[in-house]
Amino acid sequence: MNNPDVKLLDMYKKERFPRSSEYDLDWVFKNEMGPNVLWLTELLCESMDLKSGMRVLDLGCGTGMSSIFLAREFGVEVWAADLWIKPTDNYNRIKEAGLDGRIHPIHLEAHSIPFAEEYFDAIVSLDSYHYYGTDVHYLEFHLLKHLKHGGQLGIVSPASPTELPDPLPSYMPEDFYFMNSLEWWSKHWSRMPGFTVELAEMLPGGFELWLEWTELLEAYGNANRPQDVETELPLLRTDQGRYIGFVRMVGRRT
Ligand SMILES: C[S@@+](CC[C@H](N)C(=O)[O-])C[C@H]1O[C@@H](n2cnc3c(N)ncnc32)[C@H](O)[C@@H]1O
């Protein structure tokens, strides 16, 4: 390994992430679709009761890195479900990880989940729920029925500590209009009957992780998403966490 690789590894391996730090950095760079999903998954799992053998739906799993992490670290059986990424591509990654039979890749749209009611012990969504889960009817009509009573739903999604100003700050791209505040997310879930919100908070250190990951990508040579890195780095450096971060939310179906 040459010097730049050592520097990247120093930036990547963190005491806070004993599990994620064991994963191959080139593999993560190759498959990443946003701020390191292994970090986000490891932090979400701190607040969830995952036990070996549970059935877990990983909704909006992208390239399935979180699914691989969940199956490997917690011994759960995972349905790796996504809209944009082909299940065959995820299946190849699953086989390469030696997890064939323990992770099931599937193409789905989050408003028509093709599983039985009360099928899953837990549902997770990493950096994805904000694309489809903001409608007031989403939990009621589309998602919660697939979770067992007593099962947890956990998400980490981009969000702002406070309501975004209108108009948006001049340094912020227009497409950041989608960011809701922690208070918004908390209310959004709290109004759902038969569902108890156990945790609703800004992910501790979430903004810093987003920035650090984007800086790592830049140091690596912007492998996957050069455009995102180019726009996000100045945005994050200017914002400094004022409006940008993640919510970490966990709720239980009662
Ligand atoms: C930013 S990517 C994150 C992927 C992955 N969770 C990660 O963090 O690496 C967002 C993912 O949400 C998925 N997604 C967006 N809208 C969706 C929908 N309506 N139904 C299912 N998945 C959706 C996309 O397919 C995409 O893979």
Side-chain angles (χ1 to χ4, degrees):
M1 186 169 289
N2 58 32
N3 283 335
D5 289 340
V6 171
K7 187 181 143 226
L8 289 177
L9 278 177
D10 270 358
M11 291 167 78
Y12 176 63
K13 288 183 184 273
K14 296 175 186 296
E15 262 177 48
R16 188 178 181 191
F17 298 112
R19 295 176 188 266
S20 307
S21 299
E22 294 303 312
Y23 287 69
D24 179 65
L25 183 54
D26 281 327
W27 180 78
V28 183
F29 277 138
K30 190 170 147 210
N31 295 305
E32 69 88 46
M33 295 177 71
N36 185 359
V37 71
L38 297 186
W39 291 345
L40 303 186
T41 312
E42 191 161 353
L43 292 177
L44 178 62
C45 290
E46 287 175 358
S47 308
M48 294 191 70
D49 310 324
L50 294 180
K51 295 194 180 58
S52 179
M54 278 184 166
R55 283 189 202 148
V56 178
L57 175 64
D58 185 359
L59 191 57
C61 70
T63 55
M65 288 198 291
S66 49
S67 308
I68 288 170
F69 182 92
L70 291 165
R72 192 174 274 161
E73 302 296 329
F74 296 95
V76 293
E77 185 173 3
V78 185
W79 278 259
D82 199 69
L83 182 64
W84 303 341
I85 303 296
K86 290 190 185 126
T88 306
D89 294 345
N90 277 342
Y91 187 41
N92 288 335
R93 265 182 288 274
I94 290 163
K95 283 189 286 188
E96 274 165 28
L99 292 166
D100 191 2
R102 291 175 53 198
I103 305 175
H104 315 290
I106 175 166
H107 180 257
L108 64 68
E109 201 291 310
H111 294 85
S112 50
I113 296 177
F115 290 100
E117 295 187 3
E118 300 179 35
Y119 193 71
F120 293 105
D121 297 292
I123 299 176
V124 300
S125 172
L126 286 312
D127 192 12
S128 171
Y129 195 84
H130 53 291
Y131 288 106
Y132 43 76
T134 55
D135 184 281
V136 280
H137 295 301
Y138 183 67
L139 282 176
E140 183 186 0
F141 293 151
H142 301 290
L143 190 60
L144 274 191
K145 60 185 174 189
H146 300 291
L147 186 61
K148 289 181 185 168
H149 290 278
Q152 288 177 308
L153 164 66
I155 69 166
V156 173
S157 258
S160 171
T162 59
E163 210 56 52
L164 288 177
D166 184 13
L168 293 178
S170 55
Y171 62 84
M172 201 171 262
E174 276 181 355
D175 61 1
F176 266 64
Y177 72 89
F178 77 85
M179 297 266 283
N180 285 303
S181 65
L182 168 62
E183 195 190 348
W184 184 95
W185 277 107
S186 184
K187 265 194 201 152
H188 184 52
W189 275 22
S190 300
R191 49 201 294 211
M192 177 67 206
F195 185 61
T196 304
V197 178
E198 296 183 330
L199 179 72
E201 64 173 8
M202 290 306 289
L203 183 69
F207 165 79
E208 288 76 9
L209 292 174
W210 192 334
L211 177 59
E212 283 168 32
W213 182 252
T214 315
E215 286 176 339
L216 248 170
L217 282 182
E218 187 191 43
Y220 186 71
N222 299 351
N224 271 352
R225 301 178 292 120
Q227 209 81 48
D228 288 358
V229 173
E230 206 173 292
T231 50
E232 278 179 22
L233 262 188
L235 166 67
L236 293 165
R237 285 178 178 145
T238 308
D239 185 82
Q240 283 304 317
R242 191 160 168 220
Y243 297 118
I244 296 177
F246 295 96
V247 274
R248 174 165 62 174
M249 312 254 311
V250 178
R252 197 179 289 274
R253 188 174 184 197
T254 52

